Amino acid sequence: MEFTNTESHLSLLYHKAKESFEWCIQNDGNEFLKDELSVPFDDIVLIEKDIKIVFSKRVFEEYTIEVCLLLYAGNNEVGRYLYIENDKNEAIDDSLVLY
């Protein structure tokens, strides 16, 4: 098990999370999200929060990487987006929480 924590690799993870967020809000099946937010998604600024490596107690060789982005409208935090990929660099889940 080897981790790459170079600046370029971390930037790539944040980039993948931002692309996934854009896909999420542009997806026709998620049209309802526009009604849950009081500002247009175009006004949202994404702030890179953190990247976590999560291990399973049962299968320690496998892990997930969680990339968290904060959503800001002006000076107000209005939500967070979590992008999750497995140890094979494959996107496996995401989560958007609006406040």
Side-chain angles (χ1 to χ4, degrees):
M1 189 174 355
E2 182 177 322
F3 299 105
T4 306
N5 64 352
T6 62
E7 186 176 337
S8 62
H9 185 251
L10 298 179
S11 292
L12 175 62
L13 287 169
Y14 281 121
H15 179 74
K16 289 164 91 174
K18 291 173 184 177
E19 282 185 336
S20 181
F21 171 78
E22 289 297 326
W23 181 87
C24 175
I25 62 171
Q26 300 297 331
N27 185 326
D28 291 338
N30 292 337
E31 192 72 24
F32 67 94
L33 293 172
K34 294 177 183 173
D35 297 333
E36 293 186 17
L37 190 61
S38 59
V39 296
F41 275 111
D42 292 340
D43 293 346
I44 298 295
V45 175
L46 299 175
I47 305 295
E48 299 168 352
K49 183 174 188 283
D50 54 32
I51 297 174
K52 297 177 184 176
I53 300 170
V54 180
F55 294 95
S56 168
K57 185 175 181 178
R58 292 183 293 152
V59 187
F60 189 74
E61 296 79 24
E62 297 176 10
Y63 58 89
T64 58
I65 298 173
E66 298 180 354
V67 182
C68 183
L69 303 172
L70 300 179
L71 285 60
Y72 272 83
N75 291 330
N76 298 321
E77 185 178 334
V78 295
R80 67 179 50 219
Y81 181 75
L82 189 65
Y83 166 80
I84 303 170
E85 66 178 37
N86 63 18
D87 56 331
K88 296 166 188 62
N89 300 319
E90 301 166 329
I92 58 170
D93 203 0
D94 70 335
S95 170
L96 175 61
V97 177
L98 300 172
Y99 308 143

